[in-house]
Amino acid sequence: QVQLVESGGGLVQAGGSLRLSCAASPLTFGTSTMAWFRQAPGQEREFVAAISPTGANTAYADSVKGRFTISRDNAKNAVCLQMNGLKPEDTAIYYCAVRSGYALVQSRLDYNSWGQGTQVTVSS
């Protein structure tokens, strides 16, 4: 089973930036779609962004388009989420997830491995 470890969360003021990273193992990374989800207290876990195995294709939730950028480095088995223009409503635990294949699926039910999550808090 793939193991995922997130890092980079923290506390930031509204309008600020954070960069989340996710390290994956073992070496099936190059044939897997990677995604970020988030979950705020009392809410469902929601899709944020996904990237195809080669990095050629990406998908974003409408709420983060133009502010967040997902990228991957297959040589390092890592995926990142650059978050700019952060808003208080972006406050949540952010999770890295992986699924086999090339489809940019946005349903959390289709991802079979998850990281432990990293807290992002945006103050107003």
Side-chain angles (χ1 to χ4, degrees):
Q1 185 173 354
V2 177
Q3 294 183 340
L4 305 171
V5 179
E6 302 99 334
S7 61
L11 173 64
V12 64
Q13 290 187 333
S17 299
L18 282 174
R19 184 176 178 86
L20 306 183
S21 297
C22 174
S25 64
L27 297 179
T28 58
F29 189 76
T31 58
S32 300
T33 291
M34 301 297 298
W36 288 93
F37 287 75
R38 66 186 182 186
Q39 187 167 17
Q43 297 188 21
E44 296 279 329
R45 190 170 298 188
E46 65 175 7
F47 172 79
V48 175
I51 188 166
S52 62
T54 63
N57 297 297
T58 57
Y60 296 92
D62 288 343
S63 59
V64 306
K65 279 181 182 177
R67 300 188 297 123
F68 291 11
T69 302
I70 189 170
S71 62
R72 66 191 293 161
D73 184 341
N74 285 357
K76 297 181 179 180
N77 290 346
V79 61
C80 293
L81 185 69
Q82 177 67 43
M83 305 185 294
N84 299 326
L86 283 161
K87 305 175 181 180
E89 51 264 43
D90 294 318
T91 295
I93 299 175
Y94 283 70
Y95 297 90
C96 178
V98 63
R99 66 181 301 276
S100 297
Y102 291 76
L104 297 178
V105 177
Q106 299 188 14
S107 170
R108 60 183 175 86
L109 300 179
D110 290 301
Y111 288 82
N112 47 28
S113 292
W114 296 82
Q116 82 287 352
T118 186
Q119 177 70 48
V120 171
T121 303
V122 184
S123 63
S124 58

